[in-house]
């Protein structure tokens, strides 16, 4: 679940595990304590941090951007690859040094690492005072109190119901134009390389009414873009069990295509994105709904992981190369202007040179606009760790990754070059980093375009024509503007 381009490198870096400090300045009924919240990993973690900030501000905490003035430091963490965890450990060690000078400092870990390592982080690694898994955030005020009274505090219970649907997130992102809405939690897929089903628990969907209400409130506050988040949004289901039994006959059943339609109808000026789609579950219905509404952005992140059917089988992805290509053909047929991005893993267990070549050929066949590319990192307790040997030498993994990245660089460049002379509508997000006389925004396909400022301000839509393209950036000229 991620995006690309200039502005989005911020998010891209966070996917790689870099830290972003987030803060909320005001709290209700303040208790005088300052919270410093640091988030690593995917968009879902950033969305969760907004829920954590909301729960703690309701309990009197104010948040700070300055970790040295904090009374409580919480790190919301990612376990997806080993190096993501290592970065968090290094940071926690630094905070432990600070605790020597300020013994009352509470250091806590949230998110996937908390869930995966549980008490080890307290007892063996001695890096934190508090451990809270992704479904335990309502318990944080109590857990912090426990630490303050001299105990160590842990809650790593996973829930089958928790969706935090009633909690109104404190928006921590910059800009006030684009926000995340979490529509479901957990994952039931059990891809063999992936730790997420163990750290985030069973899949559950959130009440569509609360999702639509959140989108409406965001629009009323001036937001113009929402990203609907889930590990596998295509399996969103409300009021129906996995076996197909209706739960409450007096209520409608809602699937992802229907949910998208409900959110699209909030307002035509509210753009909707979503992440992440799963090739095995993405229906033509979803694509037809996207095609029907202009405000459903023409951009799909469809992780393939590998271009070889045998590798996909070992990965337990639930589709073949042919199935995946059929989904790509459906996207291109139903929405010829839709951009497609992907995730790829190089050097999965047993991957031969031929299988690796299949990944390269699939990439070219699809012509991805963008890709997130990784080499395989074995994760404890996953199916792959139990069943297969992590037998591809690190140098081979890295070499294959470099080859994959080189193919993608060509594809991304070709995609950008094709935009020269094209017209598109961008949603202005802010002032360009390089010049106050320019603003940037994204088009429906999620490509960042820089244009002269004119009178444009964040939240405006602008029709532009693309006049220049470098590898990473597109520039355009204004055709006409509309007030948002
Ligand atoms: N090693 C490398 N990459 C991984 N991903 C998930 N688990 C692993 C792993 N063990 C990648 C997948 C997924 C993305 C979020 O991270 O490509 O789609
Ligand atoms: Fe992990 Fe697969 Fe679930 Fe994505 S769909 S979170 S890769 S198990």
């Amino acid at each position: 679940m991620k995006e690309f381009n200039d502005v989005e490198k911020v998010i891209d870096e966070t996917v790689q595990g870099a830290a972003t400090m987030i803060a909320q300045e005001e709290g209700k009924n303040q208790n005088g304590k300052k919270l410093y919240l640091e988030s690593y990993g995917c968009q879902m973690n950033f969305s969760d941090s907004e829920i954590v900030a909301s729960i703690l501000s309701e309990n009197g905490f104010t948040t700070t951007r300055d970790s040295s003035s904090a009374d409580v430091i919480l790190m919301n963490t990612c376990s997806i690859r080993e190096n993501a965890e290592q970065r968090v450990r290094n940071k926690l060690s630094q905070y432990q040094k600070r605790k020597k000078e300020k013994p009352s400092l509470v250091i806590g870990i949230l998110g996937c690492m908390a869930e995966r390592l549980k008490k080890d982080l307290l007892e063996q690694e001695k890096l934190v005072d508090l451990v809270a898994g992704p479904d335990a955030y309502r318990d944080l005020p109590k857990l912090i109190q426990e630490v303050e009274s001299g105990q160590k505090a842990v809650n790593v219970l996973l829930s089958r119901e928790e969706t935090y649907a009633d909690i109104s997130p404190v928006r921590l992102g910059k800009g006030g134009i684009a926000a995340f809405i979490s529509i479901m939690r957990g994952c039931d897929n059990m891809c063999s390389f992936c730790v997420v089903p163990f750290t985030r628990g069973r899949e559950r969907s959130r009440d569509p009414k609360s999702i639509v209400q959140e989108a409406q409130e965001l629009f009323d506050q001036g937001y113009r873009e929402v990203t609907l988040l889930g590990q596998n949004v295509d399996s969103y289901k409300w009021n129906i069990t996995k076996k197909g039994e209706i739960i409450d006959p007096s209520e409608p059943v809602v699937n992802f295509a229907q949910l998208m339609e409900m959110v699209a109808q909030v307002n035509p000026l509210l753009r909707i994105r979503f992440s992440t789609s799963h090739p095995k579950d993405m229906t033509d219905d979803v694509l037809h709904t996207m095609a029907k509404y202009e405000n459903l952005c023409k951009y799909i992140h469809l992780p393939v992981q590998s271009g070889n059917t045998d590798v996909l089988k070992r990965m337990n992805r639930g589709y073949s190369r042919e199935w995946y290509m059929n989904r790509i053909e459906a996207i291109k047929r139903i929405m010829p202007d839709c951009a497609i991005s992907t995730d790829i893993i190089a050097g999965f267990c047993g991957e031969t040179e031929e299988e690796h070549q299949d990944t390269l050929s699939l990439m070219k066949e699809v012509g991805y606009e963008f890709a997130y590319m990784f080499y395989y990192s074995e994760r404890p307790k996953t199916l792959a760790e139990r069943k297969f040997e992590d037998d591809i030498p690190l140098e081979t993994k890295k070499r294959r990754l470099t080859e994959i990245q080189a193919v993608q660089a060509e594809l991304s460049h070709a995609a950008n070059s094709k935009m020269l002379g094209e017209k598109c509508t961008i949603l202005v997000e802010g002032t360009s980093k390089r010049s106050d006389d320019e603003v940037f925004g994204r088009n429906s396909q999620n490509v960042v375009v820089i244009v002269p400022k004119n009178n444009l301000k964040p939240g405006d839509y602008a029709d532009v024509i693309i006049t220049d393209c470098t590898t990473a950036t597109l520039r355009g000229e204004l055709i006409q503007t509309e007030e948002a």
Side-chain angles (χ1 to χ4, degrees):
M1 41 175 71
K2 38 271 176 47
E3 349 268 46
F4 58 101
N5 272 312
D6 239 5
V7 197
E8 306 262 339
K9 275 191 188 124
V10 184
I11 293 177
D12 186 17
E13 279 168 16
T14 64
V15 171
Q16 313 300 332
T20 296
M21 283 43 124
I22 44 182
Q24 176 225 358
E25 307 295 344
E26 297 293 325
K28 289 183 190 162
N29 310 317
Q30 297 177 4
N31 63 11
K33 287 183 206 140
K34 287 189 186 158
L35 163 73
Y36 177 79
L37 195 48
E38 193 169 318
S39 294
Y40 290 76
C42 63
Q43 294 169 337
M44 187 67 90
N45 258 10
F46 283 78
S47 171
D48 278 2
S49 289
E50 298 186 327
I51 286 166
V52 169
S54 173
I55 291 169
L56 289 175
S57 87
E58 286 292 328
N59 278 272
F61 286 82
T62 53
T63 49
T64 172
R65 286 192 167 87
D66 171 21
S67 64
S68 62
S69 70
D71 303 292
V72 178
I73 293 179
L74 296 178
M75 307 235 332
N76 196 355
T77 60
C78 170
S79 286
I80 203 120
R81 281 168 292 275
E82 196 182 343
N83 56 11
E85 289 198 351
Q86 203 43 52
R87 236 168 264 150
V88 169
R89 282 198 175 84
N90 296 343
K91 207 63 194 281
L92 285 172
S93 307
Q94 285 174 23
Y95 290 140
Q96 279 299 330
K97 284 187 197 134
R98 204 168 289 167
K99 199 173 158 78
K100 295 218 169 78
E101 292 148 29
K102 185 179 179 181
S104 64
L105 178 65
V106 177
I107 303 177
I109 187 162
L110 317 177
C112 289
M113 259 180 100
E115 193 62 50
R116 193 178 86 70
L117 294 162
K118 304 186 170 67
K119 281 188 180 158
D120 288 0
L121 289 160
L122 294 172
E123 289 166 4
Q124 287 173 25
E125 304 200 41
K126 296 198 173 17
L127 285 171
V128 293
D129 311 300
L130 179 159
V131 181
D135 290 341
Y137 298 151
R138 287 181 203 267
D139 213 19
L140 276 171
K142 189 182 118 239
L143 295 171
I144 292 172
Q145 265 179 7
E146 279 174 27
V147 175
E148 285 168 343
S149 68
Q151 296 157 265
K152 300 279 181 193
V154 187
N155 185 345
V156 286
L157 287 177
L158 286 172
S159 157
R160 280 177 176 257
E161 283 95 35
E162 180 64 273
T163 59
Y164 299 111
D166 57 316
I167 293 184
S168 181
V170 168
R171 300 294 165 185
L172 298 164
K174 291 186 211 133
I177 300 301
F180 297 129
I181 301 182
S182 163
I183 63 163
M184 57 205 294
R185 299 181 72 81
C187 182
D188 282 352
N189 283 322
M190 299 303 273
C191 299
S192 65
F193 51 79
C194 188
V195 78
V196 168
F198 303 95
T199 59
R200 288 192 159 265
R202 299 305 296 268
E203 181 186 288
R204 66 222 97 121
S205 297
R206 177 178 163 190
D207 185 339
K209 290 194 283 301
S210 77
I211 297 170
V212 171
Q213 188 188 338
E214 192 171 330
Q216 181 69 58
E217 284 166 6
L218 284 164
F219 183 80
D220 295 342
Q221 289 161 25
Y223 283 82
R224 291 295 174 264
E225 184 177 299
V226 295
T227 302
L228 308 179
L229 293 181
Q231 304 298 341
N232 172 4
V233 290
D234 296 299
S235 69
Y236 176 90
K237 257 177 219 73
W238 179 253
N239 197 25
I240 187 163
T241 64
K242 280 219 146 179
K243 289 184 192 143
E245 294 146 357
I246 293 175
I247 297 164
D248 178 353
S250 65
E251 287 274 314
V253 169
V254 180
N255 66 20
F256 183 57
Q258 290 156 332
L259 177 73
M260 277 209 299
E261 182 145 28
M262 289 162 75
V263 183
Q265 287 171 352
V266 164
N267 195 297
L269 287 176
L270 182 69
R271 271 186 173 178
I272 294 106
R273 301 186 186 278
F274 54 87
S275 194
T276 298
S277 305
H278 199 301
K280 81 176 163 58
D281 297 319
M282 193 188 67
T283 60
D284 283 6
D285 259 8
V286 165
L287 303 177
H288 286 298
T289 308
M290 285 175 77
K292 185 167 154 197
Y293 290 90
E294 203 175 323
N295 58 336
L296 291 177
C297 288
K298 304 299 176 280
Y299 169 63
I300 298 183
H301 182 64
L302 196 66
V304 67
Q305 315 297 1
S306 165
N308 177 275
T309 298
D310 289 338
V311 176
L312 289 169
K313 209 172 267 165
R314 295 202 290 282
M315 288 178 164
N316 199 30
R317 286 288 289 175
Y319 56 84
S320 61
R321 178 183 174 118
E322 289 66 37
W323 174 281
Y324 186 88
M325 286 312 299
N326 169 286
R327 296 292 73 215
I328 295 292
E329 279 149 27
I331 297 172
K332 293 188 174 178
R333 172 167 37 84
I334 297 166
M335 285 176 294
D337 59 341
C338 189
I340 306 171
S341 64
T342 200
D343 290 346
I344 295 175
I345 300 179
F348 185 64
C349 309
E351 186 187 69
T352 63
E353 278 309 316
E354 291 71 41
E355 289 169 342
H356 165 61
Q357 289 299 327
D358 283 347
T359 297
L360 300 181
S361 75
L362 178 132
M363 292 172 73
K364 291 177 195 160
E365 219 176 299
V366 177
Y368 291 114
E369 267 78 6
F370 191 79
Y372 288 88
M373 299 155 283
F374 317 97
Y375 64 76
Y376 175 58
S377 160
E378 186 177 76
R379 307 310 292 130
K381 296 200 181 115
T382 53
L383 288 179
E385 191 242 9
R386 286 183 273 148
K387 254 172 90 176
F388 306 120
E389 198 187 333
D390 181 13
D391 55 354
I392 308 301
L394 187 60
E395 313 85 78
T396 311
K397 286 181 182 173
K398 286 186 174 168
R399 194 250 307 148
R400 290 181 187 169
L401 178 60
T402 308
E403 289 172 12
I404 288 168
Q405 287 166 331
V407 168
Q408 188 52 47
E410 272 176 34
L411 294 175
S412 296
H413 184 67
N416 272 356
S417 309
K418 241 179 37 200
M419 300 255 327
L420 264 180
E422 293 287 316
K423 289 177 191 164
C424 59
T425 303
I426 62 165
L427 169 62
V428 177
E429 287 179 33
T431 306
S432 151
K433 265 182 260 167
R434 279 184 218 123
S435 160
D436 285 346
D437 299 329
E438 291 174 327
V439 290
F440 71 89
R442 276 177 298 159
N443 67 5
S444 178
Q445 288 75 9
N446 212 25
V447 180
V448 173
V449 184
I450 297 174
V451 294
K453 188 169 184 188
N454 299 288
N455 288 323
L456 291 171
K457 53 186 191 313
D460 286 346
Y461 284 98
D463 289 333
V464 303
I465 181 157
I466 306 300
T467 50
D468 190 18
C469 97
T470 60
T471 331
T473 321
L474 291 179
R475 284 178 186 279
E477 293 290 337
L478 211 60
I479 307 174
Q480 95 196 44
T481 51
E482 281 168 34
E483 286 286 296

